[in-house]
Amino acid sequence: MAAPSTSPSLPPSLADAVRDDASLRRFLHGLPGVDQVGVEQRAAGLGTRSIKKASKLWAIDAAIGMVDLTTLEGADTAGKVRSLCAKARRPDPDNPDVPRVAAVCVYPDMVATAKQELDGTGIQIASVATAFPSGRSTLKVKLEDTAFAVESGATEIDMVIDRGAFLSGRYGQVFDEIVQVKHACGDAHLKVILETGELATYDNVRRASWLALLAGGDFIKTSTGKVSPAATLPVTQVMLQAVRDWHTATGERRGVKPAGGIRSTKDAIKHLVAVHEVAGPEWLNPHLFRFGASTLLNDLLMQRRTQLAGHYSGPDYVTVD
């Protein structure tokens, strides 16, 4: 098992946790169990919070600025990516004060096109790698996939963990892969996709979150968007608890990215409330919280127009992805 080169300043208790496979297993299985009823009840309670008009407009703008605008289809073309980048730069053509999104997320072979369109804008170029979405390939292929995306201009890499290895208890293998992919990222940030819909339990989500953090992930991400269920509020809450506890233990802040299934402004605001209440207000920025989404942005833009104009604006008033 490789040493966590990305976390040289781990406190002794965490440094000991990654000494070998047995230590890593002992640490992960020694984490407190997740109270399923408690976490689901708290998520339900957070989802009922009322937000006044001024705060709602702030939340909508904040959410827009946290979106990783995504297209991950086999039929993606350079033209589609260029259109998506135009929307990322100016989400609402009629309202130039609308914030830009945080990133555009594409397959590695589309990174060069995205770079041409986004260079100098400050919008990040994210790329899925490591045999997305299954993760079923050799480490050599995963590292080459990552290196190709970075060399093409990706500033962020969204990798998938080997869920088969994780569920089989081969934690050291998963840890080593994350460490090596992190090294292949160079200066690019690494988001580690847990695919929580396949992990079955909240306890597994907590263990996978800590495993990714120990291995150097800059973000932990719920899902590929290809498996159901994808992002849920209780799962996001468990992951927010993990980064909060990581900060308590190390002084470092790491990010969370729910992805897949968040389509409405109402759902986005519920997640922002959870971020504030569970992790803390410091996480309410795109450096530490993102939404992986392809359709959410349109609803945010429509609701923003409604807040400002006082009447509902339909989908004809926003650009098509």
Side-chain angles (χ1 to χ4, degrees), residues 31-261:
L31 292 169
V34 179
D35 178 354
Q36 178 176 345
V37 173
V39 76
E40 291 178 353
Q41 284 182 342
R42 187 176 188 194
L46 292 173
T48 62
R49 299 283 179 87
S50 62
I51 301 207
K52 299 186 184 301
K53 183 173 181 178
S55 297
K56 187 171 184 180
L57 185 58
W58 177 90
I60 290 171
D61 279 357
I64 291 171
M66 295 172 181
V67 167
D68 283 6
L69 193 56
T70 303
T71 183
L72 297 171
E73 301 298 333
D76 284 345
T77 63
K80 182 177 181 182
V81 171
R82 282 193 287 268
S83 295
L84 202 69
C85 290
K87 184 164 186 173
R89 293 193 305 267
R90 192 161 178 176
D92 187 342
D94 294 334
N95 291 285
D97 61 326
V98 174
R100 292 173 170 175
V101 304
V104 168
C105 186
V106 295
Y107 276 114
D109 64 316
M110 292 293 171
V111 167
T113 299
K115 179 176 171 56
Q116 290 174 352
E117 299 298 315
L118 298 176
D119 220 14
T121 65
I123 298 170
Q124 301 301 310
I125 302 164
S127 182
V128 295
T130 64
F132 179 95
S134 69
R136 310 305 309 177
S137 192
T138 64
L139 178 58
K140 180 175 182 290
V141 167
K142 293 177 182 182
L143 295 176
E144 289 175 349
D145 201 25
T146 301
F148 172 68
V150 172
E151 289 165 5
S152 299
T155 58
E156 300 179 348
I157 294 294
D158 291 29
M159 73 165 287
V160 287
I161 66 166
D162 184 334
R163 283 86 74 193
F166 179 86
L167 292 170
S168 299
R170 301 198 305 276
Y171 302 133
Q173 177 184 332
V174 179
F175 177 91
D176 286 342
E177 285 198 355
I178 298 171
V179 168
Q180 293 194 53
V181 171
K182 173 67 175 175
H183 179 72
C185 285
D187 293 333
H189 280 193
L190 177 63
K191 305 192 200 90
V192 182
I193 306 172
L194 310 181
E195 198 65 288
T196 53
E198 293 183 342
L199 298 186
T201 69
Y202 294 129
D203 285 344
N204 276 341
V205 172
R206 174 168 286 172
R207 289 176 190 136
S209 296
W210 271 92
L211 179 57
L213 295 170
L214 286 165
D218 298 296
F219 266 74
I220 47 177
K221 177 179 172 181
T222 60
S223 326
T224 62
K226 306 296 185 183
V227 171
S228 184
T232 68
L233 197 54
V235 159
T236 302
Q237 183 176 311
V238 171
M239 294 168 67
L240 288 166
Q241 290 170 347
V243 296
R244 177 200 64 199
D245 294 345
W246 177 268
H247 176 256
T248 299
T250 68
E252 298 175 351
R253 289 193 175 94
R254 306 281 181 89
V256 174
K257 177 180 172 180

